[in-house]
Amino acid sequence: MTFQLSEQEARKLVLHSQRLPATKQSGSAQEATLAAIEHLGYVQIDTISAIQRAHHHTLWNRNPRYKAEQLDQLVADKKVFEYWSHAAAYLPMRDYRHSLPRKHAIANGDQRHWYAPEPKLMKEVLKRIREEGPLKAKDFEHTGKKRQDWSAKPAKRALESLYMQGELMIASRVNFHKVYDLTERVLPVNINTSTPTPDEHARFLIKRYLQANGLGQANEIGYLLKNTKPLITSMLREMISSGELEQVEVAGNTYYALSNSMKLINKPLPRDRLTILSPFDNLLIQRKRTKALFDFDYLIECYVPESKRQYGYFSLPLLCNGNLVARMDCKADRQKSHLYIHHLALETSLNNTDKFFNLLCQRLPAFLKFNGCATVSLHKTQPQIYAEKFQVELVNIAL
């Protein structure tokens, strides 16, 4: 049996599964942050700091009490670790064993990452960390007579190779620089280090993805995970037969959903809420999916030449009442404590602009505080006719 879902029903299932917008939470703020990471399965790490970094932004949108130090503490407490999902990410420590298939494939030469292995240098790097304790890449800079093997760049390659194949882990970060240590010294006691079977791993990938995303296709579940699609496709059929999954159709496209998640379709979304999203938020990371389900054609333009940008360097998608309705290019000047909105562009599908501006102005004070800012200014709107109206609204923001 295939369930037919309207686009609005599909969006509701996705947003409830993504826990957007955030709802009231029990427990401590630290517990809420861990719960968000464990539910999402990963939070992508990004280096761009036009506003607060993406991993912090993504968590703040699920946990209004979030503070950046909570993530550092979860790493220190060995509840969260860094590794590769579809990209560099923070992952729940409870899922550690499911990082092993990729690590073993890289160690065995069946899969490559950024760098070709350099066994001699890797052995020397590993020896130093074993004897000296946790080290950063810059700790391998040679200050005496020039010795090519210990220049920063080759050592960094060796560290990353050892990290990707599982012999090293990230023990912490200092000013965002990775601190590497032996895996056995980073892992908590009694963590399960058995390698999952291919079927176990495929089932894990499916359940984790659908739990966090509501519905998905085989290629979405295996997004940038090499050599997983055939196993995922086979396991999807098995889980449909067992009743664990349902097949659903949205606008002519077929998806899969967890059977016990279908009840979310009947749960109303919070009304009159606006969420300012990171470009690397889990909701948005697969752009074709975002276009298919939300009719929102999104491209992050920081990698596009300035002359060819349509919306700006770092435009943030805006989610309002279940729809993606605008994008806002921002830059936080932390020295001046000022947030520049370089460009606010509204989608043509946005109908009630008065309500939208009101909700955005309600959300901006918390966003300013999150980014270490106290004042805000607007430079451009699209369509231009809304520039004056929004300027008036901005004056009324209570900071």
Side-chain angles (χ1 to χ4, degrees), residues 109-125:
D110 296 331
Q111 189 172 322
R112 288 190 63 177
H113 192 60
W114 300 115
Y115 308 121
E118 301 173 69
K120 182 176 181 294
L121 185 57
M122 289 164 64
K123 185 176 179 180
E124 292 183 8
V125 165

Side-chain angles (χ1 to χ4, degrees), residues 59-308:
L59 289 169
W60 177 72
N61 271 327
R62 273 76 178 180
N63 175 18
R65 297 174 291 164
Y66 176 76
K67 305 289 183 186
E69 56 266 24
Q70 292 168 11
L71 192 51
D72 293 334
Q73 190 60 51
L74 288 172
V75 173
D77 292 343
K78 302 185 177 184
K79 298 292 181 65
V80 167
F81 73 104
E82 286 193 38
Y83 194 59
W84 209 256
S85 179
H86 70 278
Y90 288 103
L91 304 163
M93 187 64 80
R94 70 179 187 184
D95 295 341
Y96 173 79
R97 66 191 293 256
H98 287 283
S99 70
L100 296 175
R102 182 193 291 266
K103 290 174 178 175
H104 294 336
I106 292 172
N108 295 335
D110 296 331
Q111 189 172 322
R112 288 190 63 177
H113 192 60
W114 300 115
Y115 308 121
E118 301 173 69
K120 182 176 181 294
L121 185 57
M122 289 164 64
K123 185 176 179 180
E124 292 183 8
V125 165
L126 201 59
K127 182 174 183 291
R128 274 197 62 183
I129 291 177
R130 183 175 292 113
E131 293 174 352
E132 299 176 34
L135 295 173
K136 301 185 290 294
K138 71 176 185 178
D139 294 323
F140 291 87
E141 294 175 4
H142 188 64
T143 56
K145 184 178 178 181
K146 183 66 174 176
R147 182 181 172 194
Q148 183 61 34
D149 282 352
W150 290 109
S151 62
K153 192 172 181 181
K156 176 66 174 178
R157 292 200 303 264
L159 286 164
E160 283 294 293
S161 294
L162 289 163
Y163 162 63
M164 287 305 300
Q165 70 183 37
E167 292 186 72
L168 296 180
M169 290 181 71
I170 309 303
S172 63
R173 283 183 181 251
V174 176
N175 297 325
F176 208 59
H177 295 287
K178 296 176 182 177
V179 180
Y180 300 84
D181 200 1
L182 301 179
T183 291
E184 58 264 32
R185 295 201 292 235
V186 175
L187 286 178
V189 178
N190 300 325
I191 189 73
N192 187 347
T193 58
S194 63
T195 304
T197 65
D199 280 357
E200 276 185 299
H201 190 53
R203 181 180 289 274
F204 165 80
L205 292 174
I206 291 167
K207 292 185 74 172
R208 186 188 68 173
Y209 185 89
L210 295 180
Q211 170 188 273
N213 293 280
L215 47 79
Q217 301 172 324
N219 63 318
E220 294 171 347
I221 296 166
Y223 178 64
L224 296 184
L225 302 175
K226 291 183 180 179
N227 305 319
T228 59
K229 189 175 177 181
L231 282 168
I232 288 170
T233 301
S234 175
M235 185 54 66
L236 284 169
R237 289 195 294 265
E238 184 176 318
M239 293 174 75
I240 283 282
S241 297
S242 69
E244 294 172 84
L245 300 183
E246 303 292 347
Q247 194 165 290
V248 301
E249 188 172 295
V250 183
N253 296 314
T254 301
Y255 297 89
Y256 299 89
L258 293 170
S259 297
N260 59 13
S261 294
M262 295 297 289
K263 60 183 180 292
L264 294 174
I265 295 168
N266 300 316
K267 181 181 176 183
L269 287 170
R271 297 298 300 170
D272 296 337
R273 298 277 297 279
L274 184 142
T275 305
I276 302 168
L277 295 167
S278 164
F280 299 103
D281 192 279
N282 296 50
L283 177 69
L284 302 160
I285 205 65
Q286 295 190 44
R287 311 304 193 200
K288 288 182 180 179
R289 172 185 167 89
T290 304
K291 172 63 176 172
L293 291 173
F294 287 86
D295 193 26
F296 189 73
D297 193 5
Y298 181 68
L299 172 70
I300 184 169
E301 295 180 312
C302 55
Y303 309 114
V304 174
E306 185 173 0
S307 61
K308 296 183 179 181

